[in-house]
Amino acid sequence: MLKVAVVGVGNIGKIHCKYYSENPDVKLVAACDLIEERAQAMANLYGIQAYQDMATMLKEEEIDIISIATAGEENGGDHYTPTVMAIEAGKDVLVEKPISNNIEKAREMVRLASQKNVRLVSNLNHRFVPAAYKGKELIEKGDLGTILFVNMKLTIQNPNETSPWFHLRALHPHSIDVIRYFAGDIKRVQAFMTKAPGRNIWSTASINLEFASGAVGHLTGSYDMSGRHPIEYCEVAGNKGRFVIDNVYENFTYYPHENEELLVLRNSIMTGVGSFQETFKNRLDHFIKQILDEVEPDNMEASGVHALASQEVIEAAIQSQMANGKVMEVPKIDKEI
């Protein structure tokens, strides 16, 4: 049985602890947090050990997997140091998104994991839903034909303003990952952003995309909407058909070009995804399964390389906004990284 520790047990780390504790193939053994009360609360709830110092935890506990759910500026400011410590210790690592809000540190994390031959993945949970699986299946079967365009929208309400780029770096690793999951590498971007009344950050963004394949696309993102209504929309279209995913996992519709009959899938209230939090369960369970199946680090789903690729797109979009909407090339990730 694989032994797991969670580092950073705030709101998201608590979710990690919950779903690891429910997985029959793992044993949650430790929680680590700089705030003693947080770690102790998890220890009391799950009968595990509490730590405030990760180095001490690594020394005293037998651990196979470490989940990094620390926070920091832009929700990724505190991921680098614990992730490097876990990789150096030879542990398989799942890190929350963004893997780092500093692109150089993100690159170093992925480079180090490759050098150490350690599995590094990210909690890009929006792709771990039945609707996304079905879309991927149709693409791989050729039912969409050649992909021509992707339209994506991800909008929530978040009043926090930790930096001018908080909206881009904290939220859109999800949307860019979903886009890349369906359409592959993004070659160039062009971004236009605006600030809602009373806001100081670039809280709403419009980003044009060009893919390496030649397809085109668009992302609309915002921290100025409401969580009461659907937050996510994805449309993928080819020369044989297109599909639409509404609200992450609620509805999926495939529109074949030469057939009036549609394929419609709805999220069942009995057997489907019961809540958004369950997308975390899907993601963590898949990570565990891939480890048990001895999947090589380079072949892990939603890997550190995939997370880095999304961050490269986001940083290029930021550079485009800073350059008044100039088209920016997205750096290619070194395949030997």
Side-chain angles (χ1 to χ4, degrees):
M1 183 173 287
L2 298 170
K3 296 179 179 179
V4 182
V6 178
V7 177
V9 287
N11 291 335
I12 300 299
K14 290 177 182 177
I15 299 173
H16 286 220
C17 289
K18 169 181 167 59
Y19 289 123
Y20 281 127
S21 73
E22 295 176 1
N23 188 302
D25 293 316
V26 303
K27 181 179 180 181
L28 182 65
V29 297
C32 182
D33 198 290
L34 294 174
I35 300 174
E36 183 179 4
E37 292 79 6
R38 286 182 177 176
Q40 193 58 52
M42 292 298 98
N44 294 341
L45 183 60
Y46 296 108
I48 61 178
Q49 294 298 311
Y51 294 90
Q52 285 183 266
D53 178 67
M54 185 173 170
T56 301
M57 182 187 75
L58 287 168
K59 182 178 179 180
E60 297 187 359
E61 297 287 341
E62 291 184 10
I63 299 169
D64 301 298
I65 299 165
I66 296 180
S67 250
I68 309 294
T70 47
E73 183 181 8
E74 298 168 339
N75 287 359
D78 292 342
H79 292 171
Y80 175 76
T81 298
T83 300
V84 168
M85 290 176 67
I87 293 171
E88 291 282 10
K91 312 303 180 183
D92 289 325
V93 185
L94 183 145
V95 60
E96 271 295 333
K97 57 80 207 168
I99 57 171
S100 174
N101 59 2
N102 180 301
I103 195 65
E104 290 297 335
K105 288 184 176 179
R107 292 166 181 163
E108 178 57 27
M109 291 158 71
V110 173
R111 186 179 302 115
L112 182 63
S114 178
Q115 291 172 353
K116 299 292 185 178
N117 198 36
V118 163
R119 296 179 182 91
L120 173 65
V121 303
S122 186
N123 184 29
L124 299 167
N125 53 309
H126 290 224
R127 71 156 81 176
F128 291 92
V129 294
Y133 301 154
K134 176 56 69 172
K136 188 73 166 180
E137 176 189 325
L138 293 178
I139 290 171
E140 292 179 346
K141 285 171 57 182
D143 289 351
L144 268 69
T146 299
I147 301 300
L148 300 176
F149 69 81
V150 179
N151 286 321
M152 185 87 188
K153 180 186 73 172
L154 179 54
T155 63
I156 64 173
Q157 187 176 50
N158 189 338
N160 295 327
E161 302 207 346
T162 61
S163 82
W165 312 111
F166 177 51
H167 161 227
L168 275 297
R169 288 178 177 149
L171 182 63
H172 292 294
H174 285 308
S175 50
I176 297 296
D177 180 67
V178 170
I179 290 169
R180 293 188 70 261
Y181 180 62
F182 292 134
D185 289 340
I186 296 169
K187 180 180 178 181
R188 297 194 299 169
V189 300
Q190 180 189 35
F192 302 97
M193 304 179 195
T194 190
K195 301 174 182 179
R199 302 211 67 163
N200 297 310
I201 72 169
W202 298 106
S203 55
T204 292
S206 172
I207 304 172
N208 294 320
L209 309 167
E210 181 186 23
F211 295 87
S213 67
V216 295
H218 187 265
L219 168 63
T220 300
S222 182
Y223 262 175
D224 304 314
M225 298 297 106
S226 172
R228 295 183 178 90
H229 308 297
I231 65 167
E232 186 172 302
Y233 169 93
C234 181
E235 178 185 29
V236 182
N239 65 329
K240 293 183 180 180
R242 66 185 177 93
F243 66 76
V244 172
I245 300 175
D246 284 317
N247 210 21
V248 188
Y249 57 76
E250 287 187 351
N251 296 295
F252 175 96
T253 307
Y254 168 56
Y255 301 85
H257 287 352
E258 303 301 328
N259 195 327
E260 294 181 356
E261 294 182 354
L262 311 182
L263 172 64
V264 178
L265 304 176
R266 299 191 186 279
N267 185 62
S268 168
I269 62 171
M270 300 300 291
T271 60
V273 180
S275 69
F276 181 73
Q277 279 196 7
E278 287 189 18
T279 64
F280 285 71
K281 173 179 170 56
N282 291 352
R283 201 284 163 262
L284 298 183
D285 286 353
H286 190 83
F287 177 43
I288 298 301
K289 184 178 186 304
Q290 287 200 299
I291 293 174
L292 292 173
D293 289 344
E294 299 183 348
V295 174
E296 292 296 320
D298 289 347
N299 296 324
M300 296 294 287
E301 284 199 52
S303 67
V305 171
H306 297 141
L308 175 59
S310 294
Q311 291 299 120
E312 296 284 9
V313 173
I314 290 167
E315 294 305 313
I318 289 171
Q319 293 299 317
S320 174
Q321 170 65 18
M322 293 175 66
N324 198 32
K326 181 180 178 181
V327 175
M328 292 289 178
E329 297 280 339
V330 177
K332 292 183 180 179
I333 296 177
D334 185 355
K335 297 303 180 182
E336 298 180 357
I337 197 168

